[in-house]
Amino acid sequence: MGSWTLDAAGFDYWSPELFRIHGLDPARKEPTIQEYLDILHPQDRESMANLITGVLAKASPFDATKRIVRPNGEVRYIRCVGAPVVESNILKKYIGSAIDVTDQELLTQELRRREAYLAEAQRLSHTGSFGWKPDSGEIIWSAETYRIFEYDRAVTPTIDLVAQRVHPEDRADFQSATERASEGDPDLEHAYRLLLPDGRVKHVHALAHATQDASGKREFVGAVTDVTDHKRAEESLRASEAYLAEAQRLSHTGSWAWSLDTDVRHWSEECYRVLGFDPRDGSPRIEELIQRIHPDDQPAFRESAKRAKHKELDEEVDYRIVHPDGAVRYIHSIGHPVFSPSGDLIEFTGTVIDITERKRAEEELRQSEAYLAEAQRLSQTGSWAWSPDRDIRYWSEECYRVLSFDPQDGLPRFEDFYQRLHPDDQPGFGKLIQRAIREKAEWEADYRIVHPDGPIRDIHVVAHPILSTSGHLLEFVGTVIDVTERKRAEEELRRSEMELRQMLDLAPQHVAVFGPNSERIYANRVALDYVGLSLEVWRQTPGGLFRPGWYIHPDDRERAARGYSDGTRSGGSAFEMELRVQGADESYRWFLVRYNPLRDDKGQITRWYVASTDIDDRKRAEEKLLLENAALREEIDQTSMFEEIVGTSPALQTVLSRISKVAPSDSTVLITGETGTGKELVARAIHKRSQRSGRAFVSVNCAAIPRDLIPSELFGHEKGAFTGAIQRRLGRFEMADGGTIFLDEVGELSPDTQVALLRVLQEREFERVGGGHPIRVDVRVIAATNRDLHAAVSNGTFRQDLFYRLNVFPIEVPPLRERKDDILMLVEYFAQRYATRAGKNIRLIEKKTLDLLQSYGWPGNIRELQNIIERSVILSSGEVLSVDELWLSKETSQPASRVEASRRLNGDAEPRSEREIIEAALTESRGRVSGPLGAAAKLGTPPSTLDHRIKALKIHKKQFKFR
């Protein structure tokens, strides 16, 4: 370390060590400021000159490191520290020291360079480093680790921050791994996914090892790697392998590898299937394969294999393989030799293809050609090919017969054929041929051929040009058809049409014929007389088949236009409609109009036939009948509106009276009552008597749907709203738009769903799960529950504002024990229903049975009675209905009130937990949930609600069966 002093005049002292540090002779004089600056590295001179000027002006201490260049050219790093000496606020001089820090500076630079290399390597390999002290929770991350987890460098990492980034499905495994490391595991290795805020998913792999510091505390040092690309590559590889296997399966193509030294080395799955081997038996030997080959094909296969080994060239062979079940398949095999870099044969690789279907297709093609020749003979259709340059090139056998040439004479010349044409047809045919050659276009013609023995036949010819790639005409190919019989039939048809028109003029129906483009062709006399027009005037009248004219009633024109749409026209299907048509007297009558298309042999519509039948008298009778039916239906509705609600007791009549009063309105109804009392029947009766009876009635059991799915079930969801939401789904409220929605067990709704339901009741709108736009609906809400909602509001499990919104018009359905007068009628009703289904005849009810049923307390209400009667009918063998007393519960006391049941399940009345209460009830019922002796009846809650709570608490019902 050297020392120095400096004042405004310059340096007045340098210690000998300072001279040696700078590579100067200690015997020389202290350097001037300029001489000192000249010793500095050129890149540091300006900054040091500014530093010296500044400290002399401000009298402040300084600490600076600069480079000097010794006389021998060596560069050294010097750290210089100076302090001012001030007397009476006047700077006298600076006293300081200087030290050679070259080695330290070079080490620092090397360390920074290595850190930069490490950081770049981590960036390129997507691998970050970290340190973690489980005892203190301190975590140190490299820059790449921050990038992997996508946290800002200003954030201090913690285990909780890492866990927040971990995918929810992997979080439990991550926490388990960190807990094991905290408890003493020396190594930490774990692969998991990160779920980033924007929804992207990363796959990472963490690996760390525990070390101990001097105090004995453990610290994990490790690395975390972003393996997302690797995972995607693995998935892509698996997909490619799956695609290859599927492609082989679909194309019936298997791949194989065979070595001279090791025999069969590889068979793909499809190779096993194609050749009829079981992959569970392992790769077969080549000799086993040869033994499966059809005996007639084995020599050829052995020769092919021998040739391939000898010549070491590609080889193809076809053979038949006999499967174990006796099925014979045709196989085409291709082999390719694989050589080592030194040119030695390593193995053969190749494919086997099941060509059985192709072989069959070839056989079918040969048969088809035979069928075609026979079809040509039967249809008197011949095929031909003719080149303007090379004359006639081909005639089928039928072509010879149709044109009356002898095939034994060989192909005729075109001139010979031309001379056979009828003299009157030769000029026109010759001009047609010349034009076809010139235009290189398709052509067809009709002509007469004169057979050698004198008969004249009508021929129809169709030709198609064959052009070269350069557009040069090579030849014409086509057909000749003997249409003599068809020509005669057409003439006969024309005569028949004349007769038909005469008959149609006498028919009572209105008949019209239109062309394919709706042009008017014909109308019979009855139709023309009705509209008061002649045939010529009718044809010129505006409108047509597909554009209704003035004669259609104004109220029917829009409907007729839809019926006459272009889609109906182009589809060409028959249709009918009822229209009012104006007659010559300007009055309208109803007609049933039927439209039927006529097609030619190509399927093209050539005519539309329209037949109109006067149905005016029938329509008037129907209108009268509709009015009578409406009145009758109203009467039936009034008498049968409660056909499924059976009973005449005063308690039930009160309910029916309230239904009649509230049904015509749109008011919200809350139906309460015990389980099995028929609350849904009451809801349906309200809907049936309302103005919404013609629209949907949608029923939702809120207790039967898992709480997490209720919002989606009621309000629907958008595509991608949650995992598994692969498409938009309409909720029950949208389905019930314009109608009625029945919310059964409404007391089981979660608080969040209660808020959404309240919004629907208040504003008549909601949003789908995952959606951002409100949806308005017109729905009448009817709710039902067997819970005491007053108690639920008191204990906070049901919203008070929602209760008041639902409780606009309450209806209490009485339990069966309060309707003793209805039991006989209900028994007769259920007995008749189930007897009819079972094909039995129940005439009487045993008196003992009736007394038993009327004295029973019916904790399960009407549903329990219904089940008892159904069982009795099934077991009945005669005409008398009887019930076994053992079928009825011995506990005839009234079920616990809904308040008590609600408190038991909510834990308000007893200190026991909900699990203990449910397990105690399951113990008493031996694991049964439903039924009069089930745990649900003992707790006074719906079986579906209890089932949901059992699943939520993970209680196993079967363990209580034998307690």
Side-chain angles (χ1 to χ4, degrees):
M1 178 185 293
S3 57
W4 53 267
T5 61
L6 172 70
D7 58 19
F11 290 103
D12 58 2
Y13 171 73
W14 270 33
S15 70
E17 181 63 24
L18 188 58
F19 278 100
R20 282 190 289 274
I21 289 173
H22 287 75
L24 302 176
D25 185 359
R28 64 166 283 179
K29 186 180 178 181
E30 294 85 357
T32 66
I33 291 178
Q34 185 58 47
E35 290 174 338
Y36 171 72
L37 292 175
D38 291 340
I39 297 173
L40 298 180
H41 190 284
Q43 295 178 358
D44 295 343
R45 286 173 188 167
E46 183 179 354
S47 61
M48 283 303 297
N50 294 335
L51 176 64
I52 292 172
T53 302
V55 297
L56 290 175
K58 294 184 179 180
S60 58
F62 67 89
D63 186 343
T65 300
K66 78 281 187 181
R67 291 168 290 177
I68 66 168
V69 182
R70 289 179 174 177
N72 61 1
E74 182 182 6
V75 177
R76 305 293 292 180
Y77 287 85
I78 308 299
R79 180 183 178 190
C80 186
V81 179
V85 177
V86 180
E87 294 180 2
S88 303
N89 293 327
I90 298 174
L91 175 66
K92 295 294 184 180
K93 60 183 177 179
Y94 270 89
I95 301 174
S97 62
I99 184 171
D100 188 336
V101 294
T102 302
D103 294 339
Q104 177 184 355
E105 186 67 26
L106 292 177
L107 286 174
T108 300
Q109 292 180 4
E110 178 65 20
L111 179 59
R112 289 173 181 164
R113 185 165 57 255
R114 292 185 179 183
E115 287 178 347
Y117 292 157
L118 177 60
E120 182 63 12
Q122 288 190 356
R123 186 185 68 80
L124 293 174
S125 64
H126 305 294
T127 301
S129 56
F130 67 89
W132 172 45
K133 295 180 179 180
D135 295 334
S136 64
E138 180 184 358
I139 295 178
I140 299 174
W141 278 358
S142 68
E144 185 62 22
T145 306
Y146 275 99
R147 279 193 291 271
I148 289 173
F149 283 88
E150 298 192 15
Y151 276 116
D152 190 89
R153 293 288 299 275
V155 174
T156 301
T158 64
I159 285 293
D160 290 338
L161 280 179
V162 177
Q164 289 175 14
R165 279 284 194 266
V166 174
H167 195 285
E169 295 177 3
D170 299 343
R171 200 166 288 159
D173 291 341
F174 171 81
Q175 292 174 345
S176 176
T178 55
E179 288 173 1
R180 288 196 303 271
S182 299
E183 293 170 358
D185 277 6
D187 295 305
L188 172 64
E189 183 174 4
H190 186 54
Y192 51 90
R193 292 168 294 172
L194 302 180
L195 180 60
L196 300 175
D198 59 2
R200 288 179 294 116
V201 175
K202 284 186 179 180
H203 293 264
V204 297
H205 178 262
L207 179 66
H209 180 73
T211 61
Q212 288 188 340
D213 59 16
S215 62
K217 293 185 178 180
R218 299 167 68 247
E219 179 179 7
F220 280 91
V221 178
V224 58
T225 305
D226 183 346
V227 295
T228 304
D229 293 340
H230 178 68
K231 284 286 187 181
R232 290 173 180 166
E234 287 180 348
E235 293 174 358
S236 178
L237 179 60
R238 283 193 294 270
S240 297
E241 291 174 347
Y243 293 152
L244 176 60
E246 183 64 9
Q248 289 192 357
R249 186 185 68 81
L250 294 174
S251 63
H252 304 294
T253 301
S255 54
W256 54 265
W258 172 70
S259 169
L260 295 173
D261 300 327
T262 59
D263 210 327
V264 175
R265 298 190 61 197
H266 164 73
W267 273 18
S268 68
E269 290 185 12
E270 189 62 20
C271 191
Y272 281 98
R273 282 193 289 269
V274 166
L275 298 177
F277 283 81
D278 190 340
R280 293 174 296 185
D281 298 335
S283 298
R285 293 178 296 105
I286 190 67
E287 189 58 35
E288 293 180 62
L289 170 62
I290 294 175
Q291 294 304 316
R292 286 278 183 91
I293 294 175
H294 193 283
D296 295 344
D297 298 340
Q298 289 181 12
F301 182 87
R302 291 184 186 274
E303 181 62 27
S304 175
K306 181 179 178 182
R307 188 167 55 248
K309 289 186 288 185
H310 177 68
K311 295 184 178 181
E312 298 182 352
L313 297 174
D314 290 353
E315 187 69 21
E316 295 187 35
V317 62
D318 289 337
Y319 56 87
R320 290 166 291 175
I321 197 83
V322 182
H323 284 200
D325 60 359
V328 177
R329 308 294 294 180
Y330 288 85
I331 306 298
H332 179 72
S333 179
I334 303 174
H336 174 76
V338 179
F339 300 97
S340 68
S342 61
D344 296 328
L345 178 64
I346 300 174
E347 63 183 6
F348 279 91
T349 62
T351 59
V352 289
I353 308 174
D354 187 338
I355 59 172
T356 306
E357 303 306 326
R358 190 182 77 188
K359 286 287 187 181
R360 291 173 180 168
E362 291 174 353
E363 180 62 28
E364 290 175 357
L365 179 59
R366 285 190 290 271
Q367 292 178 356
S368 296
E369 290 175 347
Y371 295 154
L372 177 60
E374 182 65 11
Q376 287 191 357
R377 187 185 67 81
L378 295 174
S379 63
Q380 298 181 313
T381 301
S383 53
W384 54 267
W386 170 69
S387 169
D389 300 327
R390 292 178 288 176
D391 213 320
I392 295 175
R393 301 190 60 206
Y394 166 76
W395 273 17
S396 68
E397 292 183 11
E398 190 60 22
C399 191
Y400 282 97
R401 282 192 290 269
V402 168
L403 300 178
S404 190
F405 282 80
D406 190 345
Q408 294 181 350
D409 297 336
L411 286 172
R413 294 180 302 109
F414 182 79
E415 186 60 30
D416 296 335
F417 157 73
Y418 186 76
Q419 292 304 320
R420 289 278 182 93
L421 297 181
H422 193 283
D424 294 343
D425 298 338
Q426 289 180 5
F429 187 79
K431 291 179 182 179
L432 175 65
I433 293 298
Q434 292 303 317
R435 186 170 66 252
I437 294 173
R438 185 173 58 254
E439 297 177 357
K440 305 174 185 177
E442 293 183 346
W443 56 274
E444 60 181 297
D446 291 310
Y447 57 84
R448 291 164 291 177
I449 196 85
V450 182
H451 284 203
D453 54 357
I456 297 175
R457 307 293 293 180
D458 289 284
I459 305 298
H460 180 74
V461 60
V462 179
H464 175 77
I466 303 298
L467 307 179
S468 66
T469 55
S470 61
H472 177 69
L473 177 64
L474 298 177
E475 62 183 5
F476 285 98
V477 297
T479 60
V480 289
I481 308 173
D482 187 336
V483 295
T484 306
E485 304 304 327
R486 191 182 76 185
K487 288 282 187 180
R488 293 171 181 170
E490 287 176 353
E491 183 60 31
E492 182 64 25
L493 180 61
R494 279 192 290 271
R495 288 196 299 270
S496 298
E497 284 182 352
M498 290 298 297
E499 295 177 0
L500 178 61
R501 287 193 179 189
Q502 293 175 359
M503 289 188 291
L504 288 176
D505 284 340
L506 301 175
Q509 286 184 315
H510 298 192
V511 179
V513 181
F514 295 84
N517 297 316
S518 78
E519 59 271 21
R520 301 185 179 195
I521 297 175
Y522 169 77
N524 70 347
R525 178 53 51 194
V526 175
L528 294 173
D529 290 344
Y530 180 76
V531 296
L533 301 174
S534 66
L535 181 60
E536 290 73 19
V537 174
W538 175 77
R539 285 174 175 168
Q540 298 171 5
T541 303
L545 173 63
F546 300 106
R547 295 188 303 277
W550 55 266
Y551 50 86
I552 301 297
H553 193 284
D555 295 344
D556 297 342
R557 287 174 189 170
E558 182 179 353
R559 180 165 53 86
R562 291 197 300 269
Y564 296 133
S565 66
D566 290 340
T568 303
R569 176 181 176 182
S570 61
S573 56
F575 64 100
E576 65 179 43
M577 62 178 61
E578 294 180 353
L579 301 171
R580 284 167 288 184
V581 181
Q582 186 179 23
D585 60 355
E586 298 185 354
S587 65
Y588 288 93
R589 293 186 66 82
W590 279 98
F591 285 85
L592 173 62
V593 188
R594 293 187 174 93
Y595 302 81
N596 291 281
L598 176 67
R599 302 176 185 272
D600 59 16
D601 53 356
K602 296 179 182 179
Q604 300 297 319
I605 296 177
T606 60
R607 294 286 187 272
W608 280 93
Y609 291 98
V610 182
S612 302
T613 304
D614 190 327
I615 58 170
D616 194 72
D617 294 339
R618 192 197 77 188
K619 291 293 290 186
R620 298 183 187 280
E622 286 177 354
E623 290 177 2
K624 180 179 180 182
L625 184 61
L626 284 175
L627 293 175
E628 294 175 353
N629 285 344
L632 181 60
R633 190 178 298 110
E634 178 69 20
E635 182 180 351
I636 291 173
D637 285 344
Q638 292 176 358
T639 58
S640 64
M641 60 171 288
F642 307 120
E643 59 185 2
E644 293 186 359
I645 303 177
V646 178
T648 58
S649 63
L652 183 60
Q653 291 302 314
T654 300
V655 172
L656 298 182
S657 173
R658 292 181 67 81
I659 292 174
S660 300
K661 292 177 180 178
V662 76
S665 71
D666 272 346
S667 300
T668 302
V669 179
L670 178 61
I671 306 171
T672 57
E674 297 177 7
T675 299
T677 53
K679 294 186 287 297
E680 184 169 351
L681 288 180
V682 172
R684 289 184 180 275
I686 293 172
H687 173 73
K688 184 176 180 181
R689 290 296 295 168
S690 71
Q691 296 179 355
R692 301 171 180 264
S693 60
R695 304 300 294 270
F697 177 87
V698 178
S699 176
V700 183
N701 189 332
C702 301
I705 304 171
R707 295 200 174 199
D708 294 341
L709 297 181
I710 284 182
S712 172
E713 189 71 21
L714 291 180
F715 309 119
H717 63 252
E718 297 289 351
K719 179 180 180 181
F722 49 81
T723 301
I726 60 175
Q727 62 183 5
R728 172 185 288 182
R729 182 179 187 276
L730 300 184
R732 298 298 183 91
F733 269 94
E734 282 184 85
M735 295 179 185
D737 191 18
T740 303
I741 188 168
F742 174 54
L743 302 178
D744 198 8
E745 306 295 354
V746 71
E748 310 304 322
L749 291 177
S750 65
D752 291 342
T753 309
Q754 292 180 31
V755 172
L757 178 58
L758 180 63
R759 179 185 176 186
V760 176
L761 293 174
Q762 289 177 336
E763 304 175 12
R764 297 297 174 180
E765 67 177 28
F766 62 89
E767 293 178 2
R768 297 192 190 102
V769 177
H773 301 288
I775 299 171
R776 296 198 63 82
V777 289
D778 175 22
V779 179
R780 180 181 193 172
V781 177
I782 301 177
T785 183
N786 65 350
R787 293 183 57 188
D788 188 338
L789 292 187
H790 288 285
V793 169
S794 299
N795 59 37
T797 60
F798 200 83
R799 295 179 63 94
Q800 186 177 36
D801 47 3
L802 176 59
F803 171 72
Y804 289 132
R805 282 284 180 181
L806 293 174
N807 199 36
V808 175
F809 194 91
I811 295 178
E812 175 77 21
V813 182
L816 185 56
R817 62 180 174 274
E818 296 178 7
R819 297 171 50 192
K820 295 288 187 177
D821 295 343
D822 294 336
I823 289 178
L824 175 59
M825 187 179 298
L826 287 167
V827 171
E828 292 175 344
Y829 174 77
F830 289 134
Q832 183 62 35
R833 176 198 289 184
Y834 294 119
T836 301
R837 280 188 197 170
K840 297 183 179 182
N841 186 15
I842 303 296
R843 293 178 174 274
L844 299 173
I845 301 173
E846 192 178 58
K847 186 177 185 307
K848 178 182 176 183
T849 293
L850 186 58
D851 294 340
L852 177 64
L853 297 179
Q854 288 181 330
S855 63
Y856 182 55
W858 299 110
N861 291 296
I862 297 176
R863 188 176 296 130
E864 183 183 4
L865 174 62
Q866 179 179 350
N867 295 340
I868 291 293
I869 299 304
E870 182 178 7
R871 187 190 313 172
S872 176
V873 170
I874 292 172
L875 297 176
S876 174
S877 58
E879 298 181 347
V880 179
L881 180 75
S882 62
V883 172
D884 191 333
E885 187 175 357
L886 297 177
W887 298 350
L888 304 180
S889 170
K890 298 299 183 181
E891 301 176 7
T892 58
S893 59
Q894 297 181 3
S897 70
R898 293 189 301 274
V899 179
E900 295 169 353
S902 175
R903 288 177 178 173
R904 283 204 296 267
L905 278 182
N906 290 316
D908 293 341
E910 299 181 18
R912 293 189 298 169
S913 67
E914 181 182 1
R915 172 183 286 275
E916 291 175 340
I917 294 173
I918 294 176
E919 287 180 344
L922 288 172
T923 300
E924 293 180 18
S925 65
R926 294 186 177 273
R928 288 186 60 188
V929 174
S930 57
L933 299 180
K938 295 180 181 298
L939 294 176
T941 190
S944 57
T945 303
L946 184 57
D947 262 328
H948 177 69
R949 297 305 303 152
I950 289 172
K951 291 177 182 177
L953 295 171
K954 298 182 178 179
I955 299 173
H956 301 288
K957 296 183 287 185
K958 292 183 179 179
Q959 65 179 330
F960 301 96
K961 188 172 183 180
F962 301 106
R963 285 192 176 185

